Amino acid sequence: MRTALVLALVFGALAALAACDQMASQPRDVVYGPSSLFRDGTAMQAPPDGAVARGDLATETVMSQRPPMSAALIARGRERYTIYCAICHDAAGYGDGEVPSRGYPHPPSFHIARLRQAPTRHFVDVITNGYGAMYAYRDRVLPADRWAIAAYIRALQLSQAAPAGQLAAADTASLGGAGGR
């Protein structure tokens, strides 16, 4: 009798569980498919105006505020540039780094007119989102460091285009006619 009662309870529980298949067959919409839930008839909806993804507000705040130029900012930019950028762009920013020397596409020189005239924000955006063959560094380089790298790129541009007449006599003598590229 006791065994029959236990078996009846077990089979009853199994029957009840088999009838509870609601988790496996819930109603849902296909992402790009139609939906009767929304007025426009589509399942995928744009986020409301002003919506910011969780964790992005702090990043956007740093990205939107250009830090003041300072020696510390340029020093940090040089450090980060050496780590992340010089492998392709080379130490002076001409695009002759180690990676292109092995057959990969050469990045543009930072010293061409187009990039000399580009706003500093352009470099920050390229570091963030990538451009051409360069992939995005948004997950590798902190937002504040992107601004630092951009400041260092500006310093590189100035250093390679400084007229010799603006240099002190000792600096001109130390160049010894090398004068850069």
Side-chain angles (χ1 to χ4, degrees), residues 55-56 58-67 69 73-74 76-78 80-81 84-85 119-130 134-154:
D56 285 352
T59 300
E60 286 305 313
T61 301
V62 172
M63 290 295 292
S64 66
Q65 297 173 356
R66 180 180 178 174
M69 188 64 73
L73 182 72
I74 293 173
R76 177 70 177 181
R78 180 179 185 193
R80 301 284 102 182
Y81 179 90
Y84 295 107
C85 311
T120 304
R121 178 66 192 222
H122 169 76
F123 298 109
V124 174
D125 290 340
V126 169
I127 294 167
T128 303
N129 302 313
M134 179 180 155
Y135 57 88
Y137 278 81
R138 94 171 13 101
D139 59 339
R140 293 169 184 83
V141 179
L142 297 173
D145 288 343
R146 295 175 211 164
W147 281 109
I149 291 170
Y152 181 68
I153 291 169
R154 287 295 187 210

Side-chain angles (χ1 to χ4, degrees), residues 15-59:
L17 286 175
C20 293
D21 194 23
Q22 296 169 352
M23 292 297 287
S25 61
Q26 293 184 25
R28 66 178 179 88
D29 290 323
V30 177
V31 175
Y32 292 103
S35 172
S36 60
L37 184 62
F38 299 106
R39 286 185 204 170
D40 65 357
T42 60
M44 182 178 265
Q45 299 292 301
D49 290 336
V52 177
R54 193 166 100 193
D56 285 352
L57 189 57
T59 300

